[in-house]
Structure formats: C-alpha cells, structure tokens
Amino acid sequence: MSLPASGAARRALLLVDDDVLILGLLNRVLTLAGYEVRVATSGAMALELLASGARAPDLALLDVSMPGMSGLELAEQLQAHGAIAVMFLSAEDDQATVRAAIDGGAVGYLVKPIDITRIVPSVQAGLARADELRELRGSESRLTLALQQGREVGMAVGILMERNKTDRETAFRTLREHARSHQRKLNDVAGDVLQATEALNLIGGRAQK
C-alpha cells in the first residue's frame, strides 16, 4: 500500500457510514496510510463532530444510503462548514445514483464492496481534485474582487472628470497622486470618492424636498 505524500500525511478525513464493518475497514486502512481520521455512523453524528469545533476535514467519505440523513443530504449540510469536498460510497453504481453524486459535488465515487487496494489511491485522487477546486474558487474570488475594484476606480475617475471638468488621464493621475501622497491604496481612495458622492447626493436630494 503506497503512503500519501508528506504533505498529505497530515490531512484530515471524515468517514461516515452506518455499516460499522466498512467504517472500521476504511478507518484502519486510511489511518495506517498516515491520515488523520474521524468516523461517524450517521449524518447527525458527523454534524455534531463538526459543531464541536473539530478541525474541518479536507475530504469527507460519505455513504449514499443511510437511515435518517442520506449521504447526499449530508453533503449539502457540509457546505455550511467551509465547502468540504466529498467522496461518495455506494453499493449502487446506476446512472441515477452516480448523477446525484456528481450533482452533490462529488470529487470521487467508490462502489461497494470496496477494493481495499483502491482506497488510498482513490482518496489521494479525491484530495488532489478537491485542491484544484479550492484553487479555482480562490482564483474566481480574486478575479471578482479585482473586477469590482476596477469598477470602483473607473467610477471615481468619472466623478472627478465631471467635477473638475478634466479628461480621464488627468482625473486618474489626480486620484493616483492623492493615494500615493497619503500612502493609501488606490482602491480605498476610489471608495472614499464614491461614498462622499453618495453622501452629497443624499443631502442634495433631501434639500430639494
């Protein structure tokens, strides 16, 4: 059995299955492989573990069919704990079940009875995919922030153009020089301009009533 890479050896897993034999097998194999493993026999127990302040897992392995709360339902609940990546375990490999798992955000799918030689490689692949998705979400967030900040600067430049009756280049240079002289970020100064304009518009609107 191959051990995970040194960085992966410290990674945390959450195993949730109402079948204690399968749970014990997974726990033993993955613990020996160097992972930090926590187990739960139900969705409710898994949520209690997370609510207790336990470290959020890097990956959760969830049985699809469990009494009470199914693995698919639990996967939805886990999104409230930091968008935890999930793999599903199931005795079913029909198209509908696999599609439901994919729609539930699965980064992997293991069919029971589980081939013991595939457990660690499957978890390694699931963790790699989860890392890719986290990086993608981070990139999207940074892009969204950059676009938002770019719009704020553009709007502030437009306001200065109108107020000072000047061209765009001059207005941008004025904004940038003000930011530099006060040792502030350009986006923060642009935000101040927008807030001041909103305040003035609000006061002017009240005065006209």
Side-chain angles (χ1 to χ4, degrees):
M1 182 185 303
S2 61
L3 290 175
S6 57
R10 296 183 298 274
R11 308 197 74 174
L13 305 175
L14 173 64
L15 313 180
V16 188
D17 198 316
D18 62 313
D19 188 325
V20 294
L21 294 179
I22 292 178
L23 198 62
L25 171 65
L26 291 171
N27 185 16
R28 183 167 62 256
V29 170
L30 292 169
T31 298
L32 288 174
Y35 292 99
E36 177 187 328
V37 181
R38 291 191 300 277
V39 300
T41 55
S42 69
M45 183 178 176
L47 294 176
E48 287 177 3
L49 280 174
L50 294 175
S52 69
R55 173 188 171 190
D58 297 298
L59 181 67
L61 282 71
L62 314 177
D63 183 25
V64 171
S65 300
M66 294 185 290
M69 184 186 303
S70 72
L72 296 171
E73 292 169 332
L74 176 57
E76 294 182 3
Q77 295 288 326
L78 293 181
Q79 301 314 302
H81 294 271
I84 296 170
V86 298
M87 288 182 65
F88 288 108
L89 315 172
S90 178
E92 306 293 336
D93 61 352
D94 60 279
Q95 186 175 356
T97 303
V98 173
R99 172 53 57 186
I102 293 173
D103 292 342
V107 298
Y109 193 95
L110 287 172
V111 178
K112 299 177 182 179
I114 299 172
D115 181 352
I116 192 171
T117 64
R118 295 301 307 158
I119 295 174
V120 172
S122 296
V123 167
Q124 290 174 334
L127 284 167
R129 178 56 179 158
D131 290 342
E132 291 175 359
L133 292 174
R134 274 191 287 268
E135 178 61 27
L136 179 60
R137 284 193 291 267
S139 298
E140 290 176 345
S141 297
R142 289 191 292 271
L143 177 59
T144 298
L145 178 60
L147 291 173
Q148 179 182 353
Q149 292 174 339
R151 285 195 296 269
E152 290 180 350
V153 171
M155 292 171 64
V157 168
I159 291 170
L160 292 177
M161 288 174 61
E162 175 65 24
R163 182 152 299 179
N164 298 334
K165 305 302 180 184
T166 188
D167 57 53
R168 179 173 295 277
E169 182 178 351
T170 301
F172 178 76
R173 186 168 58 249
T174 299
L175 190 70
R176 184 181 57 192
E177 290 176 352
H178 181 85
R180 287 177 176 175
S181 65
H182 289 78
Q183 297 183 341
R184 300 184 63 201
K185 294 181 180 179
L186 183 63
N187 294 320
D188 293 340
V189 174
D192 289 346
V193 172
L194 296 180
Q195 290 180 3
T197 302
E198 290 175 0
L200 288 173
N201 290 339
L202 179 61
I203 294 173
R206 288 176 177 174
Q208 293 176 4
K209 291 183 180 179

